[in-house]
Each structure stands twice: as C-alpha cells, then as structure tokens.
Amino acid sequence: MRSYINRKGNKVVVSDKHLDVAIRIKEELQKTSPTRRTSWAAHKRMMRKEGFYDSDTNEGYRCLIKAVQRKRGTLPTAVKHVDLVADNKLKSIKEEVGELYSSKLQLQAQGRNIRKLVRAVNKDVLFLEEIKEAIKEKDFVKPSSFNKYRANSKEEKREMIVCLSDFHYGALVDIPENKYNTEIARELLNEYAQKVIKNIKKENVKSVYVMNLGDLIENVYMRNQNLYNAEETLSEQIVNATELVIEFLETISSYVPVKYSAIAGNHDRLQGNKKSNLSADHAIRVSNKIVQTYAKYSNSRVQYIEAKRDYVHWIKVGKYVFCFIHGDLNNLQKKTLLAELSSMYGEHFVAVIGGHIHHFTMLEVGMNEYQVTFGSIKGIDEYSVDTIGSKSSRSQGVVIVGKDEYEIKKIGL
C-alpha cells in the first residue's frame, strides 16, 4: 500500500491493484503520444472508468506513480526515454504523412453527418442527457441568509456592475508562471466575491448586476491541447462551473439584490470553429438554463435576466447604457467600435466592455466614453506564453455607477 497527498492536503492511500492499473494506463497513454507525455486529465478519467476514484492529476500523485515504476524497474532510463521519444516522433511523422489526412477527412465527414442527424432528429438530445446525468450528482447551494448590511440612506446610493470574464473552468495549468485547476478556480471566485463585497460596503452600493462576459468553461474541443489540458468532460465543466457561479451570486446576494446575465465566448462554443458553429450552440445556453431554473424555484435574491443576444447584451444603469461583448467577434482596440455598436443597436452606449484577451485595457474614445477589456480568472497558460507570447496578471473588473458619474475599476486576484 502506498500513499500521496492530494490537492486538499489530505493523505490518500491507494492499493496495489490501483497502482497496477494506473501504471498500465499511463504506459498506454504514453504509447499514443509522440512525445511520450502522459495526459493526466485523461488518465484520471480512465481510472474512474476502471472503478478507481482516488487518483489525481497533481504532482504528488504523478511522483507516486513514477516512484512505483522506478521500484518495479518499469520506468525507462533517461537515455532510453529519449530514444523512445525520437522513435515515436519518426514513426508518427511517417504515419501522419501517409495516413493522417485521409483519416482526418473521413472523420470530419462522419462528424458532419452525425451532427446533421442529431439536429434533424432531436437537437441537443444526446448532449442534454449528459448534462442531466452530471446535474444528478450535484447538490446546489442553498440561498444565503441575508446579511445585516444596508446601504446608507443619508449618502448617495450607488449601483454596481460586476463582470465575470474568462473563468475557463476545467482548465489545467501547471507552468512555472501559473497554476490553475478546478480547486484554484473555486478559491479565486470566492476571493473575487469577497472583494466585491468590500467594494459594496465602501461605495454604499444598493444593488448589483453580475454580467458574465463569456469563456465560462475551458472546453475540450477548442484546440488540440484542450483534450489534454482539461480536468473534466464538457458536460461536467458546464455543470460544475455553473454551480460555482451560483455560489458566487448567492454570496453577493446575501448583502444586496443581484441580477445576472451571461453571453457566450469562443471557448463556450460547442464547436471550436466560429464559422461552422450555430448561434445557439454554446455552453452558456445550458448554464443559463440552470441558473434561471435555480433562481425561479429557490428562495433567493438572485434574478436571472436573459441576454438580448447570444454574444451581445446591454443594460441601463441610472442614466448610462453599457454594452457587453466577449471580444473575439469584435476588436475592442478599434477606436470606432463603440460608435459602430451604438449605431447598430440604436443605443447611446457610454462604454463597451469585454474580455477575451486576458488583459485589462481601457481606451477612451469620446467624452467619458470607453472601450474596456477585463482580465481573466484563469491567468496565463502554455498557449499564451509559448504560442502568442503574452503575459498578464489575473484580474476582473467592476463598474460603480452613481447619479452623475461612473467609475470602471480593475480588481486584482
């Protein structure tokens, strides 16, 4: 019997049978990888299918498996590992040149036909069955008891827009510059809620509108790396991320009434290619339904407000109208975007706010008129560092609205 320390700091004892299966699965995963790397997220899912629910993706568990392999003499030496990687790469290149493209085209054609059939018979029925099974295992939070906080009637009462952007729940990041997983996601969202409450008290806020700007989930179909750098299946990501959003809303609503709306981002699309994706085919559609149902049937101060478009929403707070987008379909650095959106939707927007680029930016494009991007909860990952060469700190943002002015604030995490 061996043990390791899990993400929560608890000691987990695993059986010899567990170790046998874990090593076998690891070796099989390495065989399918040209670089001989193990996808530990996939490893965890496969272990569950084998009936072992005490595996993990953290460093302690990975080191345990390696240590047992080394003791059993099944861990390749450094020299042999390099040879295996080289052989695998050469073999993969030969196979890819001769076979990959034809196989890929066949799979794409089959995928298109299957999607057409599913939509023709009963759109989303298969996916919704998965969602239903995932929801069965959840015990959603009960409404929070009301706090004694009340906005001071002798001072100006303000309203607050709280933006929730680029949560990327389900992402697994383990690089020197950043760590992120589902547990860290929960901790960061709770930290954000506490900072929002601090601002509610400081600014004498009487109500909050939480606006989800998209990329709620990491997804597993966006890019090839998402198949490996994700801890959960697509349906699990949607349900579990929504549970955390409800906890976030309930925490804030224990102080003030809360309204909630959400639009979709590129990672929320059920197909990674925005050109082939239908407008309503996104995870936010399912997540919103869960929040809407929860708000309707629970004794809560959370009110769900349906967004005006799948990818665009706007609200009027006091005398100001704010527009919200994700940012992948519009360039928030284009100085004419605010004017273009105002003209398109027949509203005088004082600000258009998005996310997507994981950076805080604020561009003044008129008299007290701005184009803003808020940062992400996830932070940087291998893609942002190695592929696009971009680094930024974790952050979110709020808008505090008074009678004659508003303030856009970055909230660091």
Side-chain angles (χ1 to χ4, degrees):
M1 302 287 281
R2 301 289 293 270
S3 64
Y4 70 95
I5 304 300
N6 66 11
R7 296 183 187 279
K8 296 180 179 180
N10 299 325
K11 182 178 179 181
V12 179
V13 178
V14 296
S15 65
D16 290 337
K17 187 176 180 180
H18 173 114
L19 295 170
D20 293 340
V21 175
I23 291 171
R24 189 174 74 248
I25 290 175
K26 180 188 174 187
E27 291 173 345
E28 290 301 316
L29 288 172
Q30 286 179 318
K31 288 177 184 177
T32 63
S33 169
T35 58
R36 299 284 298 176
R37 294 184 66 182
T38 303
S39 166
W40 289 98
H43 186 280
K44 185 175 180 179
R45 289 196 298 271
M46 293 172 73
M47 287 292 287
R48 286 179 175 177
K49 289 181 180 179
E50 294 293 330
F52 297 96
Y53 295 90
D54 48 356
S55 65
D56 209 331
T57 59
N58 71 342
E59 184 66 20
Y61 183 76
R62 298 197 296 266
C63 289
L64 168 64
I65 301 304
K66 286 182 181 179
V68 175
Q69 280 186 285
R70 188 177 293 108
K71 185 175 181 180
R72 295 182 181 182
T74 60
L75 187 69
T77 63
V79 174
K80 186 177 180 181
H81 178 76
V82 171
D83 290 340
L84 286 170
V85 170
D87 290 344
N88 269 20
K89 284 184 177 179
L90 289 173
K91 182 180 178 182
S92 296
I93 291 170
K94 292 175 184 177
E95 291 177 350
E96 294 291 320
V97 172
E99 300 174 7
L100 177 62
Y101 290 106
S102 61
S103 299
K104 186 176 181 180
L105 289 173
Q106 289 174 8
L107 288 171
Q108 286 177 339
Q110 291 172 9
R112 284 194 296 269
N113 290 334
I114 290 171
R115 286 195 294 272
K116 287 178 182 177
L117 286 171
V118 169
R119 289 181 180 127
V121 177
N122 190 351
K123 189 178 182 303
D124 292 337
V125 67
L126 299 177
F127 180 66
L128 290 175
E129 280 297 317
E130 290 185 22
I131 290 291
K132 185 174 71 174
E133 291 302 314
I135 290 174
K136 281 181 181 179
E137 299 182 6
K138 304 308 298 180
D139 182 17
F140 285 104
V141 294
K142 303 245 182 335
S144 302
S145 57
F146 295 158
N147 195 280
K148 293 182 179 180
Y149 168 82
R150 293 290 184 274
N152 189 341
S153 59
K154 294 181 180 180
E155 299 178 8
E156 180 188 1
K157 294 181 181 180
R158 296 181 175 89
E159 297 177 83
M160 183 189 294
I161 302 169
V162 175
C163 290
L164 181 62
S165 181
D166 297 275
F167 191 28
H168 289 277
Y169 180 87
L172 184 62
V173 181
D174 189 1
I175 59 176
E177 299 91 337
N178 186 35
K179 309 289 183 188
Y180 190 69
N181 53 50
T182 54
E183 288 300 318
I184 293 174
R186 179 186 292 273
E187 293 167 4
L188 288 169
L189 201 59
N190 182 62
E191 178 184 343
Y192 185 30
Q194 297 308 313
K195 291 187 175 182
V196 167
I197 291 168
K198 184 177 180 180
N199 275 275
I200 287 172
K201 296 176 179 179
K202 178 182 177 183
E203 302 293 342
N204 200 41
V205 171
K206 65 178 181 179
S207 64
V208 164
Y209 199 122
V210 176
M211 184 66 221
N212 188 331
L213 301 176
D215 278 2
L216 173 68
I217 62 168
E218 177 69 357
N219 209 325
V220 291
Y221 303 126
M222 271 296 298
R223 296 185 289 268
N224 289 338
Q225 76 177 58
N226 290 118
L227 291 168
Y228 300 96
N229 294 348
E231 284 192 274
E232 300 177 350
T233 65
L234 178 59
S235 55
E236 288 172 337
Q237 286 182 30
I238 296 172
V239 172
N240 293 337
T242 305
E243 181 186 26
L244 293 188
V245 168
I246 291 173
E247 289 181 6
F248 179 77
L249 298 174
E250 283 297 337
T251 299
I252 298 172
S253 74
S254 67
Y255 287 80
V256 292
V258 173
K259 294 179 180 178
Y260 173 79
S261 296
I263 56 176
N266 52 310
H267 277 257
D268 300 312
R269 296 189 187 106
L270 299 188
Q271 291 191 58
N273 188 339
K274 62 184 177 184
K275 294 181 179 179
S276 62
N277 196 81
L278 297 180
S279 61
D281 271 2
H282 52 73
I284 295 297
R285 178 174 172 238
V286 181
S287 175
N288 279 347
K289 192 65 179 177
I290 296 172
V291 176
Q292 181 184 22
T293 304
Y294 174 85
K296 182 178 180 180
Y297 294 107
S298 66
N299 181 26
S300 172
R301 288 204 292 181
V302 175
Q303 180 185 0
Y304 169 78
I305 307 293
E306 186 174 354
K308 292 177 172 63
R309 304 283 191 279
D310 284 287
Y311 296 94
V312 182
H313 186 48
W314 59 90
I315 60 174
K316 185 175 184 180
V317 181
K319 64 180 183 180
Y320 304 106
V321 183
F322 300 89
C323 181
F324 303 95
I325 60 178
H326 178 64
D328 64 312
L329 301 177
N330 308 91
N331 182 4
L332 276 156
Q333 301 307 307
K334 182 182 178 183
K335 293 184 178 180
T336 58
L337 179 62
L338 180 65
E340 290 172 3
L341 291 174
S342 294
S343 176
M344 181 181 298
Y345 297 113
E347 295 279 355
H348 177 210
F349 300 136
V350 296
V352 54
I353 300 172
H356 184 57
I357 63 172
H358 295 199
H359 281 74
F360 173 76
T361 67
M362 190 160 71
L363 177 67
E364 188 169 15
V365 294
M367 290 285 289
N368 200 32
E369 295 180 341
Y370 301 93
Q371 293 174 185
V372 180
T373 62
F374 286 137
S376 82
I377 293 179
K378 170 187 174 183
I380 60 176
D381 59 11
E382 290 177 345
Y383 179 77
S384 57
V385 174
D386 298 334
T387 304
I388 61 178
S390 175
K391 292 185 179 181
S392 60
S393 58
R394 283 194 180 108
S395 71
Q396 294 289 274
V398 302
V399 184
I400 300 165
V401 184
K403 182 180 178 181
D404 297 312
E405 62 180 2
Y406 68 91
E407 179 186 4
I408 297 170
K409 293 179 65 173
K410 173 185 174 181
I411 306 294
L413 295 176

